[in-house]
Amino acid sequence: PKVLFSPLLVVLAFGTIEKVNDQSPPLIAVSTEVIINSSRQNVWNELVAFSTIDEPVDPLFKVGIAYPTHAEITGVGVGAIRRCNFTTGTFVEPITKWDEPNILEFSVIDQPPPMVEWSIYDDMHMEHLDGYFKSVKGQFLISELSKGKVKLTGTTWYKHEIWPVAYWTVWSDFILHRIHLRVLNHIKGKAEDSQDSK
């Protein structure tokens, strides 16, 4: 029992110390990239408001973790409102930078719960999920590598109030990378199909 519970006690101890000494959670950035055989414009056209993504095969999304399904946008340019729909609700994302076909940046003013807890009851609101993970802003960056080949980088900046930060960041980053890849690979497939059809 001592061997099993020692790591848990260490995490709790460091988390308590960190919480007491630093009430301001840091802003953390997570970036994921994919290489796409298509033009920057084709990629841009797909990412601004991406179509419905197929049901996930990733086991992570079978246990309640929220995952993106599709995105919509109202308006064009800075001030347009992008809505990225997840299985638990919608991220509301006002556009803060619109540099077509290079950079799309947005802030996050509303977000759904990060997961659905398994329960025999429907529509349970779990207060312990509130505020522990907060998405602050995001960015898509399209970089041209060569003619007909680009790199698409998705970045999320977030904060959470789970201590110790160093421990929980490992898990948050892991989950965000998988969410990023779900979106980026979908955009990659659509952009490459569009390129092939020309």
Side-chain angles (χ1 to χ4, degrees):
K2 290 180 180 179
V3 173
L4 292 176
F5 285 106
S6 292
L8 177 60
L9 293 175
V10 169
V11 168
L12 291 174
F14 276 105
T16 301
I17 293 169
E18 196 173 74
K19 170 70 172 174
V20 170
N21 291 333
D22 183 12
Q23 294 292 328
S24 300
L27 184 63
I28 302 164
V30 178
S31 294
T32 310
E33 61 186 45
V34 295
I35 305 300
I36 304 176
N37 294 310
S38 188
S39 68
R40 284 187 298 170
Q41 190 62 54
N42 278 344
V43 174
W44 175 273
N45 294 342
E46 296 297 337
L47 70 81
V48 170
F50 58 85
S51 59
T52 301
I53 309 177
D54 293 338
E55 284 295 309
V57 294
D58 191 328
L60 178 70
F61 300 130
K62 302 293 188 182
V63 296
I65 300 295
Y67 59 86
T69 58
H70 64 287
E72 307 161 300
I73 193 164
T74 304
V76 176
V78 173
I81 302 297
R82 187 171 183 269
R83 290 177 173 82
C84 189
N85 299 293
F86 275 62
T87 48
T88 55
T90 300
F91 283 81
V92 180
E93 305 166 342
I95 302 301
T96 56
K97 184 170 185 177
W98 181 290
D99 179 13
E100 182 177 353
N102 305 301
I103 303 173
L104 183 72
E105 290 183 356
F106 49 86
S107 59
V108 179
I109 60 172
D110 195 20
Q111 70 177 63
M115 66 178 295
V116 176
E117 294 221 16
W118 288 358
S119 171
I120 60 172
Y121 303 103
D122 292 330
D123 299 323
M124 284 191 68
H125 178 73
M126 309 304 290
E127 291 187 4
H128 62 269
L129 294 179
D130 290 343
Y132 288 106
F133 177 90
K134 179 173 177 57
S135 181
V136 176
K137 61 180 181 176
Q139 179 193 81
F140 289 105
L141 173 64
I142 306 170
S143 307
E144 189 166 35
L145 301 178
S146 61
K147 185 174 177 58
K149 178 175 287 190
V150 302
K151 178 172 67 177
L152 174 60
T153 305
T155 303
T156 297
W157 285 266
Y158 74 93
K159 294 182 178 181
H160 58 53
E161 296 190 9
I162 308 176
W163 280 264
V165 169
Y167 173 78
W168 290 107
T169 296
V170 172
W171 299 104
S172 298
D173 288 4
F174 172 76
I175 292 170
L176 279 172
H177 278 303
R178 303 287 272 272
I179 290 172
H180 285 175
L181 283 173
R182 175 170 166 79
V183 173
L184 298 183
N185 283 330
H186 176 73
I187 292 169
K188 171 184 169 74
K190 292 294 183 180
E192 290 181 344
D193 287 347
S194 176
Q195 186 74 15
D196 291 343
S197 66
K198 291 184 176 181

